[in-house]
Amino acid sequence: MDDFGLAFALSLLMPGGTFGRLMVNACKIAVAFSISSALLPLLGWLVGLAIYGWVISFSAWLILIVFTGVGVWIIREAFENEQPELSMEKASSLLALSAIGVLGSIDEGAVGVSYPFLGIPILWIIVAVILANTILILFATLISSWIRSLNRRLPSILSGIILIILGVWKFLELAFGI
């Protein structure tokens, strides 16, 4: 669901256009997020808790700062009359989307440690994660396309709020187990 919220927020900011352009954006998000959502648990499975224990010590703060900072920046830009400084071409690159996906999925690395105990081949788990992410991201992109048509500022404000909420939510989850 983290990826759904992130995909929804990001697709609100991406340029609108034809249905084909919408699907290209959805596929870019799906590829970037699915890779991170599948690889981080796999990394957790391969590496174990040693690295996770080190990364988790600062990951809550990193996620809170990045997501909240970007969310506030997007909301501020929505109320300015000029074009946003945030270039969606740069922000929607596969590298940027992958970085956002990794930040949103960093806690899934610990989940990967439990994969050997499930008795399910790792390939099936990865395929299931990728399929579920892709379906949720396509759905989020279609919903955001509809919302984008309602108001010029609403998508930016809504995506900023979603990023702030996700940042705070992940921070509380990682820092306090809430």
Side-chain angles (χ1 to χ4, degrees):
M1 291 310 290
D2 297 341
D3 287 346
F4 176 85
L6 286 170
F8 181 76
L10 288 171
S11 59
L12 280 172
L13 296 173
M14 290 183 172
T18 65
F19 183 74
R21 180 72 182 151
L22 179 73
M23 288 297 104
V24 166
N25 289 339
C27 288
K28 281 173 54 177
I29 295 171
V31 166
F33 285 16
S34 293
I35 288 170
S36 63
S37 290
L39 289 182
L40 280 170
L42 179 61
L43 180 65
W45 183 67
L46 294 172
V47 176
L49 290 175
I51 286 179
Y52 181 77
W54 175 74
V55 171
I56 197 67
S57 67
F58 63 87
S59 66
W61 288 103
L62 179 66
I63 291 170
L64 177 68
I65 291 166
V66 171
F67 281 24
T68 303
V70 171
V72 168
W73 183 11
I74 290 170
I75 292 171
R76 183 183 55 85
E77 293 286 332
F79 289 103
E80 293 180 1
N81 291 331
E82 52 200 52
Q83 274 298 84
E85 293 174 26
L86 177 65
S87 167
M88 280 317 295
E89 288 75 33
K90 290 180 183 174
S92 65
S93 71
L94 192 57
L95 181 62
L97 292 173
S98 296
I100 292 169
V102 166
L103 284 172
S105 303
I106 203 162
D107 57 327
E108 293 172 16
V111 174
V113 174
S114 67
Y115 283 177
F117 304 107
L118 296 176
I120 301 170
I122 191 73
L123 181 62
W124 288 112
I125 295 171
I126 291 171
V127 168
V129 166
I130 290 171
L131 286 174
N133 260 8
T134 302
I135 291 168
L136 285 173
I137 288 167
L138 289 174
F139 185 63
T141 305
L142 291 172
I143 292 172
S144 68
S145 174
W146 173 74
I147 289 176
R148 188 182 307 115
S149 66
L150 297 178
N151 183 308
R152 184 179 70 82
R153 289 186 176 159
L154 182 63
S156 294
I157 295 167
L158 189 56
S159 65
I161 290 170
I162 290 170
L163 287 173
I164 292 169
I165 290 171
L166 282 173
V168 171
W169 177 16
K170 290 300 256 181
F171 171 77
L172 293 173
E173 183 180 306
L174 293 171
F176 302 108
I178 295 176

